[in-house]
Amino acid sequence: MQPDVGQGPSTVSAVDADAVLADLDADQRAAVTSDSRLVAVIAGAGSGKTRVLTRRIAHRIATESADARHTLALTFTREAAGEIRRRLFRLGLRERVEAGTFHSVMLGVLTQRWADTDRRPLTVVSDRWRLVGDALSAGSTDVDRRQLAAFVAEIDWAAARGIAPEAYAAACRRQQRRPGPGVDRCAAVYADYAQLKRRRGVIDFDDVLSHAIRDMRRDGDFADSVRWRFRHVLVDEAQDLNPLQHQLVDLLRQGRVDLFLVGDPAQAIYGFNGADPSLLVEVETRFPGVEVVRLPVNHRCTPQIVRAGVHVLDATGQPGALVSFRGDGPAVERLEAIDEADEADRVARFVVGLDPHLVRSGNVAILARTNQQLAAFETALQSAGVPTRRSATAAGSPLQAVVRSAATRGSASQLRGWAHDILDAPPPAPGTRPATTSRRNDDDTPDPERRVAAAVLDYLREQPLGDGAGFRGWVATTNPFRDASTDGVDLLSFHAAKGREWHTVIVSGVETSLVPHKSATTAEARAEEGRLLYVALTRATDRLLITHASRRHGYARAASPFLEGLQLDEPVAAPPPRRRRAATDPVGDRLRAWRDDAARRAGILPEQLCSGRDLDAIARARPTTADELAEVTSFGSITAHRLAPDILAVLDGRDGAESSAGSAGQSARSTITGA
């Protein structure tokens, strides 16, 4: 593929095009190297979608078929965008590839447009709940304030689809939607909400996209400038796009822009939030001539775990064509408890019996359909002396308390002053407990006030006129905090676990009324519940325990119908052929011995330090320098130079140096990524 006329190559990076492809399987390589300007990658769970997306960017820039300065990767979370940037850096790409969420990227575009046209910038309000509440108080419609959640849900539904207040009622009737408060009452509240935003001169997150779409449609020059800036567009998790995001992708696609979509319709779990997977499901109809590449090989999970996930999809009429690349693993386990207390106690005993290294390295997770279920597990594990990790802003966490405190600041100046007062003060002495920190999870969240204060300044840089309530909403939507602890069992909801993985996963409460959830009353909703369970099951790489209770909250329960017919003790078909090292490979044996020993001393899993594929590549290539080591592995330059002394010593027949084991472990912790 030739560069676009007049584009010119970007500043040369230290990216080796061949090295970018070295550890990819045939399907992944086909997606990365395709010459098509329109590619859709249907990537099954654990098939390496993020790897393919980042390698696609790096390979095209290395071959000068794309310009880093005009490349855009669209994601759904800040964390995902940061992960893309980190992976590109480790691949040797030093130019700035723009990676961000739909809303953050388009807000930047609009902010520049407002500045260029001398227009007053609009303030983006993150807290829709507060605005809707204000609209309820000020509006003429007689409404029940206790139904705030229902009104917010309806506005979310309409806004995600670009439905204006005046068109809401007709859209509901067309789609046979029957909101609890009634169509007419919701329409009135929606209209009051829109009027309140205009009166205050603010917009919400969905307005950012609708304004960008409106301006691109009305102003051809503006649209052309956006397409000139973003000539190469890559979309991650394309199955989660809502109708507004669909429209934006269509607008960006027009003209010379090339488009690369990555996603998995089997992981479409945000239908309740307006997501519409049709962009992928109907991609060949929507984009004639598109090249579709399928990644059916799961590199993450054992065959037993993949089989359990595919069974759930089959149970909901959604055939899954996913196979495991890995060798045979332990059988999926199933635990039937008496009630929720018995479930929590037995799960705690199960965790206590695991390899302590798994817990210490953060490689165990308990997943539940709802966050409320997690409290019992947290209590049982802590009683057993097992540390736990929950979302940094979960109920009762130190960070949540500080966020609530910040939210009381009524203006941007008050909020900024509060943050600077905290950050300008000396940090607390080691071993002291800030007044806002509760005893529970104290060690999991060091210095919560300073973490929240730093986040406040990040928020105000994005929204200079924001206030405390807006900051609280921003935290809820952007999740700017990451648990600082590396010690403990992760406790998450099914939804929150998407995109992550652990060695051992306990999927709890897989029973009627929870999975599928009692609110899933339609066939479409039940299908999404099946996909949600599929996502939860496939977070495990090696060991999976499924639990359910005979009674919960005093009511009789049965195992989820999604589990019906799942045979846990049946033999699993052999995985597809893979390259294996020779049975007698002394170099490979020495490398594995070094890796296992270094991982043990660092308190991590061997695969976290160095994958088996990388070890095989090292044994075959016999690199003699750190640069050569980086070329034959997926390490990246920094990690390769850190591990080179030990690995090169092993290749020379000498013992790996003890002194670098700690740094090796630290390197692994800092560079571990999802598949």
Side-chain angles (χ1 to χ4, degrees):
M1 182 188 301
Q2 297 300 313
D4 290 343
V5 177
Q7 173 180 297
S10 59
T11 305
V12 177
S13 297
V15 182
D16 185 326
D18 292 332
V20 168
L21 306 176
D23 57 347
L24 303 180
D25 65 30
D27 296 319
Q28 293 171 334
R29 185 176 294 222
V32 169
T33 61
S34 171
D35 288 334
S36 175
R37 294 174 62 85
L38 185 55
V39 180
V41 180
I42 312 300
S47 62
K49 65 177 181 59
T50 305
R51 169 174 291 197
V52 165
L53 187 146
T54 51
R55 300 298 178 89
R56 171 78 170 181
I57 295 172
H59 186 265
R60 294 199 63 195
I61 292 170
T63 58
E64 299 185 2
S65 58
D67 189 331
R69 298 164 298 183
H70 296 282
T71 298
L72 170 65
L74 288 169
T75 69
F76 282 85
T77 66
R78 289 184 167 203
E79 185 178 8
E83 177 64 16
I84 287 172
R85 288 192 291 268
R86 286 190 293 273
R87 292 199 188 197
L88 291 174
F89 187 86
R90 289 197 294 271
L91 290 168
L93 185 62
R94 301 297 183 260
E95 296 99 326
R96 177 74 174 181
V97 170
E98 187 151 1
T101 66
F102 281 82
H103 295 93
S104 66
V105 171
M106 287 301 109
L107 180 58
V109 169
L110 287 176
T111 300
Q112 185 62 53
R113 174 170 172 79
W114 295 333
D116 292 342
T117 56
D118 296 322
R119 291 165 57 184
R120 178 179 174 270
L122 295 171
T123 300
V124 181
V125 177
S126 307
D127 192 352
R128 178 174 280 168
W129 284 72
R130 179 175 177 179
L131 271 182
V132 174
D134 290 348
L136 291 174
S137 301
S140 58
T141 306
D142 183 19
V143 297
D144 185 351
R145 290 180 61 92
R146 294 173 300 177
Q147 296 177 315
L148 175 60
F151 291 118
V152 171
E154 286 307 296
I155 294 173
D156 285 345
W157 175 83
R161 291 160 176 79
I163 300 171
E166 59 271 18
Y168 169 80
C172 283
R173 295 183 178 107
R174 226 176 14 255
Q175 300 190 29
Q176 299 183 338
R177 189 173 181 85
R178 300 181 179 85
V183 171
D184 293 336
R185 298 179 75 192
C186 288
V189 173
Y190 189 13
D192 290 341
Y193 170 74
Q195 185 178 29
L196 181 63
K197 287 190 296 179
R198 288 193 294 270
R199 191 164 62 246
R200 294 183 179 181
V202 301
I203 58 176
D204 59 33
F205 272 123
D206 287 316
D207 292 331
V208 170
L209 298 187
S210 60
H211 279 232
I213 292 168
R214 180 200 63 192
D215 287 3
M216 288 181 70
R217 286 174 172 167
R218 291 179 178 178
D219 188 339
D221 290 340
F222 171 61
D224 288 341
S225 71
V226 176
R227 296 184 190 114
W228 180 88
R229 178 180 173 184
F230 304 129
R231 303 178 196 177
H232 319 286
V233 179
L234 302 95
V235 181
D236 193 18
E237 303 284 10
Q239 77 280 350
D240 292 333
L241 268 63
N242 64 32
L244 273 180
Q245 292 159 338
H246 280 210
Q247 294 176 46
L248 185 61
V249 170
D250 285 338
L251 283 169
L252 289 173
R253 167 63 185 153
Q254 295 176 17
R256 296 167 55 201
V257 172
D258 64 318
L259 181 63
F260 188 82
L261 304 169
V262 183
D264 181 11
Q267 297 187 70
I269 59 175
Y270 296 112
F272 68 91
N273 210 25
D276 179 3
S278 66
L279 186 65
L280 276 183
V281 175
E282 304 168 2
V283 68
E284 292 175 282
T285 302
R286 292 176 63 91
F287 298 116
V290 63
E291 180 180 356
V292 178
V293 181
R294 301 185 185 277
L295 306 183
V297 179
N298 178 298
H299 295 265
R300 174 195 302 149
C301 313
T302 64
Q304 285 78 5
I305 295 169
V306 168
R307 183 185 66 181
V310 171
H311 174 88
V312 169
L313 292 180
D314 288 340
T316 55
Q318 306 170 92
L322 194 67
V323 295
S324 174
F325 183 78
R326 297 186 52 192
D328 212 34
V332 174
E333 300 164 84
R334 189 163 162 177
L335 186 158
E336 183 174 359
I338 299 172
D339 53 25
E340 61 270 31
D342 182 53
E343 178 187 47
D345 180 65
R346 293 172 68 181
V347 165
R349 282 185 276 152
F350 173 86
V351 172
V352 169
L354 294 173
D355 184 342
H357 288 302
L358 290 174
V359 175
R360 286 201 295 270
S361 59
N363 263 282
V364 179
I366 299 174
L367 311 182
R369 178 62 179 83
T370 67
N371 283 308
Q372 290 80 358
Q373 296 168 250
L374 297 171
F377 295 110
E378 185 173 33
T379 300
L381 288 168
Q382 291 179 347
S383 297
V386 178
T388 61
R389 304 189 302 183
R390 294 189 68 176
S391 168
T393 53
S397 72
L399 280 171
Q400 187 203 47
V402 183
V403 170
R404 279 201 308 266
S405 176
T408 63
R409 274 63 187 179
S411 68
S413 60
Q414 292 176 340
L415 191 60
R416 185 176 286 104
W418 174 86
H420 280 300
D421 286 345
I422 292 173
L423 294 174
D424 292 345
T432 63
R433 177 181 291 111
T436 54
T437 304
S438 67
R439 290 184 178 274
R440 188 169 73 88
N441 287 338
D442 176 44
D443 294 334
D444 291 350
T445 313
D447 205 356
E449 283 191 330
R450 297 180 71 85
R451 292 184 69 190
V452 174
V456 163
L457 297 183
D458 286 341
Y459 162 71
L460 291 174
R461 278 191 284 271
E462 289 187 10
Q463 302 178 37
L465 300 179
D467 58 11
F471 170 68
R472 189 172 184 177
W474 179 80
V475 168
T477 57
T478 63
N479 188 26
F481 305 110
R482 296 194 66 178
D483 199 323
S485 172
T486 59
D487 186 10
V489 174
D490 284 307
L491 305 175
L492 299 95
S493 69
F494 290 178
H495 283 99
K498 189 172 182 289
R500 300 185 61 182
E501 65 180 60
W502 296 264
H503 177 280
T504 299
V505 172
I506 298 99
V507 179
S508 65
V510 187
E511 60 204 39
T512 54
S513 295
L514 282 173
V515 184
H517 196 269
K518 60 186 178 182
S519 62
T521 57
T522 66
E524 181 180 353
R526 286 177 60 85
E528 182 162 313
E529 289 288 302
R531 295 193 296 270
L532 182 58
L533 179 58
Y534 166 77
V535 167
L537 297 177
T538 54
R539 298 311 93 193
T541 64
D542 289 77
R543 193 170 181 184
L544 175 63
L545 172 65
I546 301 171
T547 77
H548 50 90
S550 299
R551 300 188 68 82
R552 192 174 298 272
H553 305 308
Y555 295 95
R557 298 288 179 86
S560 169
F562 296 157
L563 299 180
E564 186 176 347
L566 176 60
Q567 301 295 321
L568 305 180
D569 55 352
E570 285 185 348
V572 177
R578 59 183 296 184
R579 292 180 299 179
R580 295 184 180 275
R581 64 189 180 95
T584 56
D585 180 6
V587 175
D589 290 340
R590 291 202 305 271
L591 285 169
R592 281 167 170 75
W594 162 80
R595 180 192 66 173
D596 294 348
D597 182 61
R600 178 184 55 77
R601 287 185 275 118
I604 59 177
L605 295 173
E607 287 286 329
Q608 293 178 278
L609 179 58
C610 182
S611 71
R613 275 184 292 176
D614 279 334
L615 289 179
D616 290 341
I618 295 168
R620 289 193 303 270
R622 309 289 176 93
T624 59
T625 66
D627 289 339
E628 291 178 4
L629 181 64
E631 290 179 3
V632 302
T633 65
S634 60
F635 289 162
S637 178
I638 295 175
T639 301
H641 280 79
R642 187 171 291 156
L643 298 181
D646 278 2
I647 292 176
L648 298 182
V650 172
L651 292 174
D652 288 341
R654 300 177 279 117
D655 291 334
E658 290 277 337
S659 61
S660 69
S663 64
Q666 183 60 41
S667 173
R669 292 192 186 95
S670 64
T671 60
I672 293 168
T673 62

